[in-house]
C-alpha cells in the first residue's frame, strides 16, 4: 500500500510503500509517549526504507533517545533515529540502521486512510505512565516489554500482509 504522510504545518511531506499498514501496535514506552504519544502511547507502521521519498527534507530534524539499561550506571544513545518536523514538532518516522530495509512511519503522520486492525498489541506496558488506561479488547495482546511477533508476522498471521 502506498502511504502519504506529512507534518502538521505542511513543511514536510513523505511517501513510502508499506506491506504492513495496519496501525495495531501501541507502544507505551516513555520515549514514544514523550516524543509522540499524547494519549500515552505511539503507533508506528512498517515500511520499505528504499521507497521513502521526502519533500521538505531540510525541515526534518532527528532525535536519538538516551537509554539506560537496568543495573547500568551510564546511558547510551539509541541507534534509532526519530525524525520530526523542525518547524512544528510533528513526529514523522523512525529509522534504525539495525534493520536497514525498514522504516517506521508514525500512524499519526499518515494522511492516507489506514485499514482498521482486527486486534491490537499493547507493548512496553512496564513503562507506561500511571495515568494511562490501557483499553484492551478481548482479542488484544499485552506485553510488559516486546512481543516475539514482528509487525510483518502479525500481518501474516491475520492474513493481512502485502495489501496494495
Amino acid at each position: 500500500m502506498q502511504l502519504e504522510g506529512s507534518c502538521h504545518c505542511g513543511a514536510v511531506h513523505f511517501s513510502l510503500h508499506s506491506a504492513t499498514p495496519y496501525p495495531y501496535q501501541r507502544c507505551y514506552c516513555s520515549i514514544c509517549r514523550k516524543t509522540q504519544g499524547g494519549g500515552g502511547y505511539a503507533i508506528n507502521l512498517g515500511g520499505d526504507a528504499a521507497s521513502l521519498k521526502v519533500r521538505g527534507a531540510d525541515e526534518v530534524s532527528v532525535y536519538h533517545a538516551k537509554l539506560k539499561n537496568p543495573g547500568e550506571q551510564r546511558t547510551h544513545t539509541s541507534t534509532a533515529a526519530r525524525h520530526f518536523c523542525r518547524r512544528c514538532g510533528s513526529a514523522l518516522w523512525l529509522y534504525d540502521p539495525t534493520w536497514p530495509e525498514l522504516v517506521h512511519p508514525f500512524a499519526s503522520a499518515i494522511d492516507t486512510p489506514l485499514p482498521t486492525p482486527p486486534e491490537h498489541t499493547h507493548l512496553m506496558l512496564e513503562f507506561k505512565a500511571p495515568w494511562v488506561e490501557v483499553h484492551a479488547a478481548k482479542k488484544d495482546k499485552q506485553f510488559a516489554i516486546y512481543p516475539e511477533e514482528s509487525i510483518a508476522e502479525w500481518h501474516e498471521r491475520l492474513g493481512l500482509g502485502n495489501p496494495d
Side-chain angles (χ1 to χ4, degrees), residues 7-162:
C7 65
H8 183 261
C9 73
V12 181
H13 291 265
F14 64 97
S15 64
L16 71 153
H17 183 267
S18 175
T20 55
Y22 282 78
Y24 79 95
Q25 197 175 68
R26 297 176 180 185
C27 181
Y28 295 82
C29 79
S30 65
I31 301 165
C32 286
R33 175 172 38 87
K34 290 183 178 221
T35 63
Q36 204 274 319
Y41 60 86
I43 300 174
N44 62 5
L45 309 169
D48 174 19
S51 71
L52 180 65
K53 293 181 177 60
V54 181
R55 274 192 351 236
D58 290 346
E59 300 300 334
V60 175
S61 186
V62 174
Y63 173 67
H64 291 271
K66 304 294 183 206
L67 304 172
K68 187 174 175 185
N69 292 324
E72 291 184 2
Q73 295 287 335
R74 295 179 173 229
T75 61
H76 65 280
T77 302
S78 172
T79 57
R82 287 169 168 78
H83 293 75
F84 296 84
C85 172
R86 73 173 67 241
R87 287 191 192 179
C88 68
S90 296
L92 303 169
W93 66 86
L94 179 143
Y95 174 78
D96 192 324
T98 307
W99 300 279
E101 70 282 1
L102 298 174
V103 65
H104 296 285
F106 290 107
S108 58
I110 300 300
D111 300 316
T112 305
L114 294 171
T116 302
E119 63 183 50
H120 292 94
T121 296
H122 304 266
L123 63 122
M124 304 297 275
L125 289 169
E126 182 176 308
F127 305 103
K128 106 179 161 47
W131 57 266
V132 175
E133 295 179 34
V134 177
H135 298 282
K138 194 171 209 155
K139 289 189 208 177
D140 289 1
K141 311 264 186 288
Q142 297 184 50
F143 298 91
I145 306 289
Y146 292 109
E148 289 186 24
E149 184 176 59
S150 71
I151 292 175
E153 290 166 340
W154 181 92
H155 280 75
E156 187 177 314
R157 174 174 58 84
L158 294 171
L160 304 172
N162 214 12

